[in-house]
Amino acid sequence: MIYCHFSVSTLCINVAFDLIIFGVPVFLLHAIGLLPNKLYLAATTFIINWTTPTVFTMPMILSGSKIYCNNIDILVESKTTDSLLLANHGSRIDWMVAMFTGFSRYLAERSCERTRVGFVCEALIQFMPLIGWYRKLVAKDIFVWRSFKQDASLIKQNIQDFHSADERRMLFLSPEGVVVDFGPKDMEYINECRKFCLDQNYKPFDYVLTPRYKGSMCLLQQVKECNGPVVSICLAYVRDGKLLNCSLLSPDRTVPDIYSLNQGIGGSPVDIYIHLKRMHVAQDMNDPKAFMMENYKEKNEILMEWDRQTSAGTAGSDAWMSQFSIVQNSNLECMLYQIGHAALMIIVALMFDRMRTLVHLFCLLFCSVASCHTIGWVLNSTSMESVPFETGIKSIALSLQKMKSAGKGSKLE
């Protein structure tokens, strides 16, 4: 666990340094009109490429995780033009997998372009310390407050800003909208999704939630001008031959997060398998409900087959693995980025005679990360670290919500 806290703390200090030294000045220059949008996005793409390997090197590369993909051609195409990728939401590290693939220049021994990755995510993320602030100020992700339909103008403006600047981007989102754990509210939502399936004449999905589809057609603007691919992504997470994102109602289900990845340093890494399929979506489609439900039916079947294979012990067989190719990043290059960040921070600290401050800051971050995660674990009995500090923040919020509900209940009595 000490390594996990150290890894997350290292991620935090690298992101904090890049945000303060590079991100905030560039953002302010753009905000006051001294940096045109085109130059602003080009500069932030450079900053993102500098930061990205420090985000995934320790949790994924040093911890031994491997990423496999079933269709390299679609992945290469998605990296060469604007693309829209719709993924299932069985983990809290989908975003890190996306950043890994966007940064990678080696796909099954094929060279490809390094590509900026953006996300459509819940508005709360932008307020999360460091990573959230970075995604808001530097990455310029799309933060949805209410729904695709109600936030359509915000979504379209964000996409148009990138198009007008001719800045290529892979745009990821998870139509399910939420990750469910094992609390009463989570179980209630799972059952609501299963009921919705029955109402739509589908057998209840066991491995995925139902997608949110209202207003989602506005996202097609991402690929409209370039006729880029709209891609369905189904992610399977496997550790020690077992499917982690198995049936939603299974007591064996695990929701992988940053700590799950880091624990691979002890000998049980999480391997990620990416299933891609190009989606043919009509730009004038009025009601995407049936289309999205069919897609999620396919994702449910993919994960069901993974569950069968892992349960039978055949998931590692040549017959099953032959459909996948490995997605790689240069381990040496990524380590050099880590070393480069450390060296630059030390140089800046020495220039301003603040070496002791830098050491104290890292120690403070380590204690904050460890304390926040431990408190969250005690309160909620699970790790929910999609970004640093989220386990503690969400667990405290959930506890306060429960206390408020209990207070209302006692008043009614």
PDB file of all heavy atoms in Angstrom, residues 57-70:
ATOM      1  N   THR A  57       2.872   5.864 -16.079  1.00  0.00           N
ATOM      2  CA  THR A  57       4.082   5.037 -16.014  1.00  0.00           C
ATOM      3  C   THR A  57       4.121   4.160 -14.762  1.00  0.00           C
ATOM      4  O   THR A  57       4.331   2.945 -14.840  1.00  0.00           O
ATOM      5  CB  THR A  57       5.347   5.908 -16.089  1.00  0.00           C
ATOM      6  OG1 THR A  57       5.409   6.530 -17.376  1.00  0.00           O
ATOM      7  CG2 THR A  57       6.598   5.059 -15.897  1.00  0.00           C
ATOM      8  N   MET A  58       3.918   4.743 -13.597  1.00  0.00           N
ATOM      9  CA  MET A  58       3.976   3.943 -12.373  1.00  0.00           C
ATOM     10  C   MET A  58       2.762   3.021 -12.217  1.00  0.00           C
ATOM     11  O   MET A  58       2.922   1.830 -11.938  1.00  0.00           O
ATOM     12  CB  MET A  58       4.146   4.848 -11.148  1.00  0.00           C
ATOM     13  CG  MET A  58       5.513   5.505 -11.076  1.00  0.00           C
ATOM     14  SD  MET A  58       5.821   6.431  -9.557  1.00  0.00           S
ATOM     15  CE  MET A  58       6.066   5.097  -8.391  1.00  0.00           C
ATOM     16  N   PRO A  59       1.522   3.513 -12.412  1.00  0.00           N
ATOM     17  CA  PRO A  59       0.370   2.619 -12.246  1.00  0.00           C
ATOM     18  C   PRO A  59       0.279   1.502 -13.275  1.00  0.00           C
ATOM     19  O   PRO A  59      -0.235   0.423 -12.964  1.00  0.00           O
ATOM     20  CB  PRO A  59      -0.840   3.567 -12.386  1.00  0.00           C
ATOM     21  CG  PRO A  59      -0.308   4.926 -12.161  1.00  0.00           C
ATOM     22  CD  PRO A  59       1.095   4.900 -12.645  1.00  0.00           C
ATOM     23  N   MET A  60       0.777   1.746 -14.487  1.00  0.00           N
ATOM     24  CA  MET A  60       0.577   0.746 -15.530  1.00  0.00           C
ATOM     25  C   MET A  60       1.867   0.044 -15.959  1.00  0.00           C
ATOM     26  O   MET A  60       1.958  -1.178 -15.923  1.00  0.00           O
ATOM     27  CB  MET A  60      -0.102   1.403 -16.750  1.00  0.00           C
ATOM     28  CG  MET A  60      -1.466   2.003 -16.408  1.00  0.00           C
ATOM     29  SD  MET A  60      -2.388   2.601 -17.844  1.00  0.00           S
ATOM     30  CE  MET A  60      -2.951   1.052 -18.520  1.00  0.00           C
ATOM     31  N   ILE A  61       2.869   0.800 -16.345  1.00  0.00           N
ATOM     32  CA  ILE A  61       4.089   0.181 -16.881  1.00  0.00           C
ATOM     33  C   ILE A  61       4.897  -0.493 -15.771  1.00  0.00           C
ATOM     34  O   ILE A  61       5.236  -1.680 -15.865  1.00  0.00           O
ATOM     35  CB  ILE A  61       4.938   1.222 -17.634  1.00  0.00           C
ATOM     36  CG1 ILE A  61       4.203   1.669 -18.907  1.00  0.00           C
ATOM     37  CG2 ILE A  61       6.312   0.644 -17.984  1.00  0.00           C
ATOM     38  CD1 ILE A  61       4.913   2.750 -19.693  1.00  0.00           C
ATOM     39  N   LEU A  62       5.211   0.252 -14.700  1.00  0.00           N
ATOM     40  CA  LEU A  62       6.014  -0.336 -13.626  1.00  0.00           C
ATOM     41  C   LEU A  62       5.246  -1.410 -12.871  1.00  0.00           C
ATOM     42  O   LEU A  62       5.851  -2.308 -12.281  1.00  0.00           O
ATOM     43  CB  LEU A  62       6.483   0.749 -12.659  1.00  0.00           C
ATOM     44  CG  LEU A  62       7.475   1.778 -13.215  1.00  0.00           C
ATOM     45  CD1 LEU A  62       7.965   2.691 -12.104  1.00  0.00           C
ATOM     46  CD2 LEU A  62       8.663   1.110 -13.894  1.00  0.00           C
ATOM     47  N   SER A  63       3.927  -1.335 -12.895  1.00  0.00           N
ATOM     48  CA  SER A  63       3.111  -2.330 -12.187  1.00  0.00           C
ATOM     49  C   SER A  63       2.808  -3.551 -13.042  1.00  0.00           C
ATOM     50  O   SER A  63       2.148  -4.483 -12.583  1.00  0.00           O
ATOM     51  CB  SER A  63       1.801  -1.682 -11.713  1.00  0.00           C
ATOM     52  OG  SER A  63       2.068  -0.676 -10.757  1.00  0.00           O
ATOM     53  N   GLY A  64       3.268  -3.543 -14.289  1.00  0.00           N
ATOM     54  CA  GLY A  64       3.194  -4.747 -15.119  1.00  0.00           C
ATOM     55  C   GLY A  64       1.917  -4.943 -15.906  1.00  0.00           C
ATOM     56  O   GLY A  64       1.718  -6.007 -16.506  1.00  0.00           O
ATOM     57  N   SER A  65       1.031  -3.939 -15.938  1.00  0.00           N
ATOM     58  CA  SER A  65      -0.205  -4.084 -16.717  1.00  0.00           C
ATOM     59  C   SER A  65       0.096  -4.096 -18.216  1.00  0.00           C
ATOM     60  O   SER A  65       1.003  -3.414 -18.684  1.00  0.00           O
ATOM     61  CB  SER A  65      -1.172  -2.933 -16.413  1.00  0.00           C
ATOM     62  OG  SER A  65      -1.671  -3.020 -15.107  1.00  0.00           O
ATOM     63  N   LYS A  66      -0.683  -4.874 -18.943  1.00  0.00           N
ATOM     64  CA  LYS A  66      -0.568  -4.926 -20.405  1.00  0.00           C
ATOM     65  C   LYS A  66      -1.929  -4.597 -21.016  1.00  0.00           C
ATOM     66  O   LYS A  66      -2.965  -4.934 -20.460  1.00  0.00           O
ATOM     67  CB  LYS A  66      -0.088  -6.294 -20.870  1.00  0.00           C
ATOM     68  CG  LYS A  66       1.354  -6.613 -20.499  1.00  0.00           C
ATOM     69  CD  LYS A  66       1.775  -7.958 -21.074  1.00  0.00           C
ATOM     70  CE  LYS A  66       3.268  -8.220 -20.855  1.00  0.00           C
ATOM     71  NZ  LYS A  66       3.638  -8.239 -19.439  1.00  0.00           N
ATOM     72  N   ILE A  67      -1.885  -3.930 -22.148  1.00  0.00           N
ATOM     73  CA  ILE A  67      -3.115  -3.564 -22.858  1.00  0.00           C
ATOM     74  C   ILE A  67      -3.126  -4.263 -24.206  1.00  0.00           C
ATOM     75  O   ILE A  67      -2.145  -4.224 -24.955  1.00  0.00           O
ATOM     76  CB  ILE A  67      -3.218  -2.044 -23.035  1.00  0.00           C
ATOM     77  CG1 ILE A  67      -3.297  -1.356 -21.668  1.00  0.00           C
ATOM     78  CG2 ILE A  67      -4.431  -1.675 -23.879  1.00  0.00           C
ATOM     79  CD1 ILE A  67      -3.424   0.149 -21.743  1.00  0.00           C
ATOM     80  N   TYR A  68      -4.252  -4.902 -24.500  1.00  0.00           N
ATOM     81  CA  TYR A  68      -4.426  -5.618 -25.765  1.00  0.00           C
ATOM     82  C   TYR A  68      -5.641  -5.043 -26.501  1.00  0.00           C
ATOM     83  O   TYR A  68      -6.585  -4.552 -25.876  1.00  0.00           O
ATOM     84  CB  TYR A  68      -4.651  -7.106 -25.505  1.00  0.00           C
ATOM     85  CG  TYR A  68      -3.521  -7.800 -24.773  1.00  0.00           C
ATOM     86  CD1 TYR A  68      -3.489  -7.853 -23.384  1.00  0.00           C
ATOM     87  CD2 TYR A  68      -2.480  -8.397 -25.477  1.00  0.00           C
ATOM     88  CE1 TYR A  68      -2.462  -8.486 -22.710  1.00  0.00           C
ATOM     89  CE2 TYR A  68      -1.440  -9.038 -24.808  1.00  0.00           C
ATOM     90  CZ  TYR A  68      -1.437  -9.078 -23.427  1.00  0.00           C
ATOM     91  OH  TYR A  68      -0.408  -9.703 -22.764  1.00  0.00           O
ATOM     92  N   CYS A  69      -5.610  -5.138 -27.813  1.00  0.00           N
ATOM     93  CA  CYS A  69      -6.705  -4.619 -28.635  1.00  0.00           C
ATOM     94  C   CYS A  69      -7.046  -5.626 -29.732  1.00  0.00           C
ATOM     95  O   CYS A  69      -6.146  -6.254 -30.300  1.00  0.00           O
ATOM     96  CB  CYS A  69      -6.310  -3.277 -29.254  1.00  0.00           C
ATOM     97  SG  CYS A  69      -7.578  -2.535 -30.283  1.00  0.00           S
ATOM     98  N   ASN A  70      -8.339  -5.755 -30.027  1.00  0.00           N
ATOM     99  CA  ASN A  70      -8.764  -6.750 -31.017  1.00  0.00           C
ATOM    100  C   ASN A  70      -8.771  -6.211 -32.445  1.00  0.00           C
ATOM    101  O   ASN A  70      -8.872  -6.982 -33.399  1.00  0.00           O
ATOM    102  CB  ASN A  70     -10.175  -7.262 -30.681  1.00  0.00           C
ATOM    103  CG  ASN A  70     -11.258  -6.245 -31.011  1.00  0.00           C
ATOM    104  OD1 ASN A  70     -11.060  -5.039 -30.806  1.00  0.00           O
ATOM    105  ND2 ASN A  70     -12.383  -6.715 -31.504  1.00  0.00           N
TER     106      ASN A  70
END
